[in-house]
Amino acid sequence: MQENGLFLHSAELDRCELTVAPPAATMSPGRQGGGGGWLKHFPGLSRMRSGSVLTYPLIGVAFFVAFVYFSFGDFKPSPGLAEMSFVERKGTQFVVDGRAFYVNGWNSYWMLDQAAEEFSKSRVTEMFQIGAKMGMTVCRTWAFNDGTYHALQVSLGIFDERVFRALDWVIVEARRHGIRLLLSLVNNLQHYGGKTQYVKWAWDEGIGLSSSNDSFFFDPTIRKYFKIYLKTILTRKNHLTGIEYRDDPTIFAWELMNEPQCASDSSGDTLQEWFEDTSEFVKSIDHKHLLTIGLEGFYGPVSSQEKQSINPGKWYGTLGSDFLSNSKISHVDFASVHIYPDQWLLKADFNEKTNYISKWVTSHIEDGDRELHKPVMFTEFGLSKKSKDFENSQRVTFYRSIFDKIYQSAKKNGAGAGAMIWQLLVPGMEEYSDDYGIIPGLTPSVDSLLKEQSCRLMSLRLKKDSSDRSPTIC
C-alpha cells in the first residue's frame, strides 16, 4: 500500500535513504481513507501573485528556518506532557526514580491499526482513558504491521511514513494519559505479517534460503532485514515531540517477538543464538530501555526434568524455547510468561486449571528469585469465554489467583513484577475481540478487580505515603 507520504527505504544497516512515494493509494473495500500525505498544500501560497518582490525570498527563508528547527532543533510541539523517567531494573525489581515500580497492565494489540485512520483514533484515546482511570500502568501493543492492511513495513526495508506517524501519535497519547508502553517488535504468528511475511518476502524476491517459516531465525538475509527494521524503529524521531523512540521514557520496554517458537530445532540452539544476537543488536542502539524476549514460559530440554514437568504437556518442551536459558541472556532485562490454561489443558475443569496455574506462576516467580535474579512479568493471561460451563465469575476467581501471587511476591520485594490481562477493548470493536476480550464497563466485577490490584500495587510502591495516591483511583 502506498499513499502520498514519505517512505523510508534502506538496504544497509548503516544507511537510511528517505524517498517520497508517488501517489498510488489503495484502500480496502468499505474502509474510508485516512490522512493525506507528508507534503501538505498551503492555499495561501498559490494566491500570492503580486506584492513586494521580497515576498518569495522571505517565504523561502522562513521555510528554511522552520525546516532546520523542526528537523534538528529541540522541537516540542506537545506542551503539557507529564514528565517521565525511564523504568530501570534493580535486581528482581523494576524501579522508577528510586522507588519500586509494579505493573498492573493490559494488552490492546490494535493501537497502531486504529490510530492509522482518523475515524478510529478516538478508540485509542478512550482505551488509555479507561486504563488510567483504573490505575493501570503499562499497555502492551504491537509496534509492527508487516505487509498487511495499514502496514508499517510495506515490503522488506520499506516503511510507510503515514503509519509511522500513527505510531508516533500512540506514544504521545499514552504519555498524555500517564501510561507506558511495552512494544512488541514482530510476531511469531501470521497475524499482522510476522515472521511468515519476512520469509515470504525473501522467498518471492529470490533471496531467501528456504520457504520454511523458521528460516526467519537462521537466514542471514532475513536477519539483516529484520535488523534494518529494528534500527528504523529504535532511531525513529517522533514527529510530534522530536524525541527518538530510544530516548522516550514513555516506552516501558521492547519485546523481541510475540511467543517465539522454532519447532524445527527442538534442541533450542537456533532460538538461543537468535535471542543472543538480536538482543545484543538492540542494546547496541538503545541502552536506555528494558528488553524482554516475549516467551510463553515453557521449559525446554536443557532444563531439569523437575522443571520440564511444570509444562502443561511434553509437547510444549519441544518448541525450541527454554524459559531459563533464554531469560538468562545478559541483554535480557526481565523474563516474560503467558498463561492460557484453556489452550493448554483441553480436558481439565475450571478447578484443575486454576490449581495448575498456581503452580505455573509460582514456578516462574521462584525462577526469577533464585536463578535469573531478574523480574518476571506475566505479559499475557486470560480465560476463554468458550470454556465448558463458563461463567464470568470464573474470570474473577482466575484473575485474582494470579494477582494474589504477584502481590505476595511484591510484598517481599520478590521477582513477581506484574501481569497484563489479554485483552481490553472499547465498544464497537467486536471484530478485534477473541475468546478472551473484555470491554470495561460490561463486566463490573472484573473492572473492580483490576482497580483493586492497581491500588494494592500502588500502596506497595508508595509505602503508605498516601500523599501521592490519586483519590480518583483508590
Side-chain angles (χ1 to χ4, degrees):
M1 177 182 68
Q2 296 183 344
E3 296 198 16
N4 285 345
L6 183 67
F7 275 44
L8 305 181
H9 175 72
S10 178
E12 298 177 320
L13 290 179
D14 59 352
R15 180 170 60 89
C16 185
E17 299 177 352
L18 302 184
T19 59
V20 179
T26 60
M27 303 301 298
S28 68
R31 296 292 293 272
Q32 297 298 314
W38 176 62
L39 300 176
K40 303 294 185 184
H41 295 286
F42 296 89
L45 293 182
S46 62
R47 293 195 294 270
M48 299 178 72
R49 306 284 185 183
S50 59
S52 169
V53 295
L54 293 177
T55 299
Y56 286 108
L58 286 174
I59 291 173
V61 171
F63 269 93
F64 175 76
V65 171
F67 172 77
V68 171
Y69 180 63
F70 277 64
S71 299
F72 305 105
D74 188 20
F75 173 49
K76 301 289 189 298
S78 301
L81 291 180
E83 288 295 321
M84 272 189 176
S85 300
F86 283 91
V87 180
E88 300 174 316
R89 177 175 72 87
K90 184 178 181 181
T92 59
Q93 290 186 304
F94 298 130
V95 293
V96 176
D97 296 329
R99 281 178 167 174
F101 178 81
Y102 303 105
V103 176
N104 185 34
W106 82 96
N107 284 268
S108 288
Y109 72 90
W110 42 264
M111 292 282 184
L112 174 58
D113 178 78
Q114 294 296 285
E117 300 280 9
E118 286 297 327
F119 77 87
S120 54
K121 287 175 70 173
S122 62
R123 292 171 172 172
V124 176
T125 299
E126 184 178 358
M127 190 68 257
F128 284 141
Q129 289 172 342
I130 291 170
K133 287 179 180 178
M134 292 195 291
M136 304 179 88
T137 49
V138 180
C139 172
R140 177 172 175 261
T141 193
W142 298 166
F144 62 84
N145 188 341
D146 303 307
T148 63
Y149 186 64
H150 288 156
L152 176 60
Q153 185 172 203
V154 296
S155 61
L156 283 174
I158 301 178
F159 303 86
D160 188 339
E161 172 67 9
R162 182 181 68 87
V163 181
F164 240 138
R165 288 185 169 220
L167 184 56
D168 292 346
W169 180 82
V170 169
I171 293 172
V172 171
E173 195 68 358
R175 184 164 183 169
R176 194 167 71 86
H177 290 87
I179 302 295
R180 299 176 189 268
L181 298 173
L182 172 54
L183 296 179
S184 189
L185 297 168
V186 70
N187 208 349
N188 182 73
L189 308 173
Q190 293 187 27
H191 297 94
Y192 291 84
K195 69 179 184 182
T196 300
Q197 184 62 70
Y198 278 87
V199 173
K200 184 178 185 301
W201 278 332
W203 188 252
D204 289 348
E205 292 187 18
I207 57 176
L209 290 179
S210 167
S211 60
S212 165
N213 285 346
D214 286 349
S215 66
F216 175 86
F217 300 112
F218 59 78
D219 186 321
T221 300
I222 294 175
R223 288 172 68 149
K224 170 186 170 183
Y225 274 104
F226 184 59
K227 287 180 177 178
I228 290 173
Y229 160 77
L230 291 175
K231 184 176 181 180
T232 303
I233 283 280
L234 298 174
T235 61
R236 164 74 179 182
K237 178 183 277 191
N238 191 311
H239 81 285
L240 295 171
T241 64
I243 302 172
E244 290 188 359
Y245 287 7
R246 60 180 168 180
D247 295 324
D248 194 334
T250 312
I251 299 169
F252 164 73
W254 302 107
E255 179 183 271
L256 289 184
M257 174 179 263
N258 175 50
E259 299 186 342
Q261 296 179 5
C262 184
S264 62
D265 181 8
S266 60
S267 73
D269 292 344
T270 297
L271 278 186
Q272 182 74 12
E273 193 276 330
W274 188 84
F275 294 150
E276 291 173 352
D277 177 66
T278 310
S279 62
E280 181 180 16
F281 180 79
V282 169
K283 287 291 189 173
S284 72
I285 298 173
D286 179 0
H287 61 275
K288 295 181 180 179
H289 285 106
L290 301 173
L291 179 66
T292 193
I293 293 176
L295 297 170
E296 296 162 277
F298 303 128
Y299 298 99
V302 297
S303 287
S304 68
Q305 286 299 317
E306 180 183 1
K307 282 298 180 183
Q308 290 184 57
S309 70
I310 302 294
N311 287 338
K314 290 185 177 181
W315 178 77
Y316 294 94
T318 68
L319 299 177
S321 64
D322 177 71
F323 176 73
L324 288 173
S325 61
N326 299 159
S327 300
K328 286 179 180 178
I329 295 171
S330 61
H331 298 294
V332 174
D333 296 295
F334 65 96
S336 51
V337 187
H338 292 181
I339 308 174
Y340 287 111
D342 300 300
Q343 297 180 12
W344 301 343
L345 306 171
L346 299 179
K347 297 181 180 180
D349 62 25
F350 176 71
N351 288 332
E352 290 171 329
K353 292 173 184 176
T354 303
N355 291 335
Y356 169 75
I357 290 307
S358 177
K359 292 189 295 183
W360 177 258
V361 173
T362 298
S363 176
H364 288 84
I365 292 178
E366 288 178 351
D367 290 338
D369 286 324
R370 299 173 184 177
E371 286 205 48
L372 302 176
H373 308 294
K374 297 178 181 182
V376 176
M377 275 266 287
F378 297 89
T379 51
E380 287 187 28
F381 68 91
L383 189 70
S384 172
K385 63 184 178 183
K386 293 186 178 180
S387 299
K388 183 180 179 181
D389 301 323
F390 171 78
E391 297 177 4
N392 274 318
S393 61
Q394 292 176 342
R395 277 185 168 167
V396 175
T397 302
F398 176 67
Y399 297 161
R400 184 180 293 280
S401 70
I402 297 169
F403 287 159
D404 285 349
K405 294 282 187 182
I406 297 295
Y407 179 66
Q408 293 302 323
S409 174
K411 280 180 65 176
K412 298 181 292 185
N413 299 320
M420 311 182 78
I421 192 171
W422 181 279
Q423 62 161 323
L424 298 186
L425 309 100
V426 298
M429 295 194 66
E430 288 74 14
E431 64 188 293
Y432 290 84
S433 190
D434 52 20
D435 300 356
Y436 305 89
I438 294 174
I439 297 177
L442 299 185
T443 53
S445 57
V446 174
D447 298 352
S448 296
L449 180 62
L450 292 173
K451 182 176 176 180
E452 176 189 316
Q453 181 70 351
S454 294
C455 292
R456 290 204 294 178
L457 296 179
M458 190 184 302
S459 68
L460 290 179
R461 169 171 165 75
L462 301 177
K463 297 187 183 300
K464 299 182 181 180
D465 179 3
S466 60
S467 62
D468 288 343
R469 293 177 64 181
S470 170
T472 61
I473 297 173
C474 304

